Amino acid sequence: MANSVTMLKIKTFADYQNEYKQSVENPEAFWEEKASHFTWRKKWDKVLNWNFKDYDVKWFVNGKLNITENCIDRHLPTKGNETAFVWESNFEDKPNRVITYQQLHDEVCRLANVLKSFGVKKGDRVCIYLPMIPEAVFSMLACARIGAVHSVVFAGFSAASLSSRIQDSDCKVVLTSDGSYRGDKTINLKSVVDEALETCASVTNVLVYKHTGASVNILSGRDIWWHDVVPQSSDRYEAETMDSEDMLFILYTSGSTGKPKGVVHTCGGYMVYTCYSFLNVFQYNPGDIYWCTADVGWITGHSYITYGPLLAGATSVIFEGVPTFPDAGRFWKVVDKHKVTHFYTAPTAIRALEAAGLNYVSPYNLSSLKVLGSVGEPINEEAWHWYNKNIGKEKCPIVDTWWQTETGGILISPLAGITKTKPSFATLPLPGVQPLLVDEKGNEITGNNVEGNLCIKFPWPSIIRTTFGDHERCKQTYFSTYNNLYFTGDGCKRDENGYYRITGRVDDVMNVSGHRIGTAEVESAINMHADVVESAVVGYPHDIKGQGIYAYVIVPSTQKNHDILRKEIIAEVNKVIGPIAKPDKIQIVSGLPKTRSGKIMRRILRKVAEGEISNLGDTSTLLDPAVVEEIVKTRL
Ligand code: 7RM
């Protein structure tokens, strides 16, 4: 019989130290106990099988469950009439929607029945391309209820990006809406889907939620209005029995090379870890109002809007809009309106709102706040102090949560009110997480006051299982750089007290406004422009975005006005990826600094983009050192 998941909560720093010790000394006994607080249809035979060499990890082997039963059904006897979600529209004068756990159950079941009627079976993939409306969460859970695998695509990605994701995972159905609102912009999502589907033969049905009222094209036989089929469906659906290691979802994320990879998470371990980490990091208590401002299109939305909070039986705010609409006071207005106790956002938003000034903060009563969170990129000390002083009024612990799409849940973070915080430090690993710093050669760097590449040496329950359709790529990317270690791609310092500070990516991945974007992806988009011969993209420090995108582009010395060319290149990037990958600076050059073997020396390009031109380091191996002079002279 399942106990209450609130039993998972650590209460003191001594508890934390004790749990941490147990989790390292006997991980299987540790996680077995945590897992026992959930509802399983059949208990596992073995807690863990793992092997980082050929990469194979299985948690709660042969255990059977359905995650939606744990997110919804188990709460119904006690919390059926309690609020699961309060939805706040993009427009502040539009009424909220309140969804109780019972209503969540009914909506998810209706949608599950509709998916079933489309012929979606256990294991089939379903693409979700929706704005931040409760239906996005219903959609994820409806898939999980019938055993289908969801692949949520952020509704800011272009038709080309959407299409390549649908193709990669062979999705059968797309769940979308007529349109979306983001601040003062409206986007016609359905027309993006239509364009994407011109190149996706696998999709048999598109379910369209009416949200903006935009006129849409309905392709008969394929496209169906949500309101024509969902409300009349049964509000009962017996959840499918899933194996612990059956796929729960695929989420595409950028890496240093090639196209985005489909990161795969599975049912059992992901459930245990997202709930455990949510409760412990945020120290959520019944009656609290939790708000994570992420979009469900990113892992933060999956783990800490949908699954973690629902597993814990929490009440959350879902917000459709953006931080600066109608003005830079919107976040604080929403905190005041809904009496938010736990607020979780990205440093880029904090910096943007800091820049707007305190006049946007002071009108609002923020006294409901108890815990503040940060995620997605390193938080600089200044932003940390501003957040602490002006939003938390120096009484709210800040949890700087480090994790990745691949980790499924938060790995390094303070536990709110329990771990002593330190500005810009993610502090200590959660129980079950064994971080390690290594040098370039893969030797462990021991002791404190050191810096290296961040690896993890033991699996935790929500670790990536594979990259969809290409296990070799998963092995290569994460488990081959260093022997027997998961490599994060991040650089990291460990201070004199053993606290961790993540310094940023050490590979060719940029972090722009908390979004992961590969330099190679942007280059390949730029290269689609007919006049572009070659390009090289690097990140550079940006006051608000954390990193900006700096592109060096070779075009034939001829014709076009450079401003027109830049506009066209930006349009190309918009078309191939989406507005989030828009280059901030485009420098037209006649050549790129290459070694004799033809490798672009990105180190030099990064320095020029940063404005660090006094010391470019060794350029003696360059094929043509004159290129560097030109690049320095014409830098933006
Ligand atoms: C959750 C998420 C992952 C990358 C990761 C880091 C960076 C995330 C922090 C952070 C410093 C943090 N997943 N990152 N959180 N850096 N401090 N608290 O963002 O897959 O989209 O990105 O984000 O570089 O590798 S993600």
Side-chain angles (χ1 to χ4, degrees):
M1 179 53 204
N3 303 310
S4 161
V5 290
T6 52
M7 305 267 297
L8 295 170
K9 250 165 82 182
I10 292 167
K11 295 199 172 64
T12 64
F13 194 68
D15 274 358
Y16 161 74
Q17 288 175 305
N18 180 39
E19 286 228 351
Y20 190 80
K21 190 160 171 277
Q22 285 179 34
S23 77
V24 173
E25 284 172 359
N26 197 343
E28 296 197 33
F30 177 82
W31 286 114
E32 170 143 67
E33 193 280 325
K34 302 305 165 205
S36 73
H37 297 279
F38 295 82
T39 301
W40 296 82
R41 294 189 176 174
K42 176 184 166 292
K43 205 186 155 179
W44 49 91
D45 300 329
K46 193 164 184 301
V47 177
L48 172 65
N49 276 328
W50 73 290
N51 162 8
F52 275 179
K53 267 228 139 38
D54 302 312
Y55 196 54
D56 183 25
V57 167
K58 290 186 172 65
W59 280 94
F60 312 113
V61 181
N62 292 327
K64 307 286 177 198
L65 75 152
N66 187 289
I67 196 169
T68 72
E69 195 176 356
N70 285 274
C71 287
I72 309 172
D73 305 56
R74 74 179 315 211
H75 303 312
L76 294 181
T78 54
K79 297 180 185 265
N81 295 323
E82 286 182 25
T83 303
F85 293 111
V86 187
W87 177 74
E88 170 78 22
S89 158
N90 181 61
F91 304 104
E92 49 186 1
D93 47 4
K94 229 176 157 170
N96 301 133
R97 291 170 61 187
V98 173
I99 291 114
T100 64
Y101 273 90
Q102 183 64 53
Q103 288 167 336
L104 179 66
H105 170 271
D106 296 355
E107 291 298 332
V108 168
C109 288
R110 288 190 183 103
L111 194 50
N113 280 304
V114 169
L115 290 175
K116 206 70 190 176
S117 77
F118 291 160
V120 178
K121 295 184 301 296
K122 180 173 172 176
D124 286 346
R125 274 78 60 200
V126 172
C127 176
I128 299 174
Y129 189 70
L130 279 167
M132 281 296 290
I133 53 178
E135 283 67 23
V137 175
F138 304 161
S139 298
M140 295 165 81
L141 296 169
C143 289
R145 197 153 183 100
I146 72 172
V149 178
H150 57 71
S151 166
V152 184
V153 177
F154 172 60
F157 277 120
S158 67
S161 294
L162 176 61
S163 165
S164 90
R165 285 160 171 78
I166 291 173
Q167 285 179 32
D168 186 77
S169 51
D170 253 315
C171 293
K172 213 167 178 171
V173 166
V174 179
L175 306 178
T176 190
S177 66
D178 49 358
S180 74
Y181 302 114
R182 281 179 70 77
D184 55 10
K185 290 197 220 17
T186 52
I187 305 169
N188 198 333
L189 291 184
K190 177 60 167 59
S191 68
V192 180
V193 171
D194 289 341
E195 191 187 334
L197 293 193
E198 285 170 18
T199 48
C200 300
S202 60
V203 174
T204 56
N205 286 104
V206 180
L207 188 64
V208 189
Y209 185 79
K210 191 178 191 118
H211 182 54
T212 61
S215 76
V216 305
N217 194 37
I218 293 284
L219 186 68
S220 111
R222 185 192 72 181
D223 303 348
I224 290 144
W225 281 109
W226 195 292
H227 57 253
D228 282 342
V229 287
V230 179
Q232 36 282 71
S233 288
S234 162
D235 58 10
R236 301 272 175 100
Y237 192 103
E238 181 59 32
E240 188 77 36
T241 298
M242 304 295 284
D243 188 89
S244 283
E245 288 299 336
D246 279 339
M247 257 189 264
L248 174 62
F249 66 83
I250 303 168
L251 183 58
Y252 287 85
T253 195
S254 298
S256 51
T257 56
K259 283 203 230 172
K261 306 178 270 291
V263 171
V264 171
H265 285 289
T266 58
C267 297
Y270 181 83
M271 169 177 79
V272 172
Y273 197 81
T274 52
C275 183
Y276 178 78
S277 55
F278 172 76
L279 281 166
N280 282 302
V281 168
F282 294 101
Q283 291 290 306
Y284 181 90
N285 283 310
D288 287 341
I289 312 287
Y290 165 86
W291 178 22
C292 167
T293 68
D295 191 286
V296 289
W298 312 115
I299 190 69
T300 305
H302 283 61
S303 303
Y304 299 111
I305 291 179
T306 300
Y307 291 107
L310 290 177
L311 288 162
T315 297
S316 306
V317 173
I318 296 183
F319 178 49
E320 182 188 19
V322 297
T324 49
F325 178 81
D327 62 46
R330 187 67 190 278
F331 272 4
W332 321 128
K333 192 171 197 170
V334 174
V335 167
D336 186 352
K337 178 175 173 192
H338 296 291
K339 301 295 162 225
V340 170
T341 55
H342 292 64
F343 178 72
Y344 190 28
T345 198
T348 188
I350 298 166
R351 289 188 297 264
L353 300 181
E354 175 184 358
L358 289 175
N359 286 343
Y360 290 100
V361 183
S362 52
Y364 306 107
N365 180 353
L366 303 181
S367 64
S368 57
L369 287 171
K370 296 189 211 170
V371 175
L372 301 177
S374 172
V375 61
E377 43 169 333
I379 179 164
N380 49 306
E381 285 195 47
E382 198 200 325
W384 195 99
H385 287 296
W386 186 86
Y387 198 27
N388 184 44
K389 180 160 177 250
N390 300 296
I391 306 306
K393 318 289 180 191
E394 286 170 347
K395 67 172 180 59
C396 302
I398 296 179
V399 290
D400 175 359
T401 63
W402 174 83
W403 57 299
Q404 309 177 295
T405 306
E406 296 86 343
T407 70
I410 297 166
L411 296 196
I412 305 182
S413 171
L415 308 183
I418 291 174
T419 313
K420 196 173 163 359
T421 60
K422 178 174 177 180
S424 81
F425 280 74
T427 76
L428 298 172
L430 265 64
V433 177
Q434 302 187 37
L436 181 93
L437 301 185
V438 299
D439 64 19
E440 302 288 291
K441 294 199 184 83
N443 299 314
E444 177 168 2
I445 303 170
T446 55
N448 285 341
N449 260 322
V450 290
E451 181 166 8
N453 288 346
L454 179 61
C455 294
I456 318 280
K457 66 176 166 197
F458 195 87
W460 59 97
S462 63
I463 189 173
I464 180 176
R465 296 305 197 272
T466 190
T467 47
F468 190 82
D470 193 351
H471 192 63
E472 195 52 37
R473 189 166 180 207
C474 174
K475 255 165 69 177
Q476 274 297 326
T477 310
Y478 309 105
F479 300 95
S480 72
T481 316
Y482 305 112
N483 249 345
N484 269 315
L485 298 173
Y486 167 78
F487 177 43
T488 64
D490 280 319
C492 182
K493 290 180 176 165
R494 187 166 53 218
D495 80 355
E496 62 284 0
N497 300 313
Y499 271 25
Y500 291 89
R501 174 188 190 147
I502 286 73
T503 50
R505 303 290 303 198
V506 294
D507 54 9
D508 291 321
V509 173
M510 299 175 288
N511 194 323
V512 181
S513 300
H515 299 144
R516 241 171 103 163
I517 304 171
T519 54
E521 253 180 288
V522 182
E523 287 164 6
S524 104
I526 291 173
N527 296 348
M528 303 281 269
H529 188 288
D531 292 338
V532 172
V533 172
E534 198 180 1
S535 64
V537 166
V538 295
Y540 71 98
H542 186 287
D543 284 347
I544 304 287
K545 299 181 178 186
Q547 274 190 313
I549 302 181
Y550 196 118
Y552 298 88
V553 178
I554 306 179
V555 287
S557 55
T558 54
Q559 11 76 31
K560 255 181 213 162
N561 172 294
H562 284 183
D563 286 333
I564 294 177
L565 203 56
R566 287 196 183 91
K567 284 207 182 89
E568 289 177 0
I569 289 171
I570 288 169
E572 196 69 48
V573 173
N574 264 329
K575 198 176 107 199
V576 178
I577 307 174
I580 60 167
K582 173 186 170 211
D584 296 275
K585 295 185 181 181
I586 300 174
Q587 182 179 350
I588 313 281
V589 295
S590 63
L592 291 166
K594 289 190 179 172
T595 61
R596 286 188 192 92
S597 58
K599 257 190 89 157
I600 295 173
M601 284 182 88
R602 293 173 170 280
R603 178 177 57 80
I604 292 174
L605 296 177
R606 268 187 226 113
K607 286 213 157 161
V608 174
E610 281 165 22
E612 279 258 333
I613 50 170
S614 55
N615 176 21
L616 290 177
D618 183 12
T619 55
S620 62
T621 57
L622 281 178
L623 191 60
D624 177 11
V627 165
V628 178
E629 271 170 52
E630 180 211 311
I631 286 178
V632 169
K633 220 180 286 157
T634 60
R635 77 184 193 279
L636 301 171

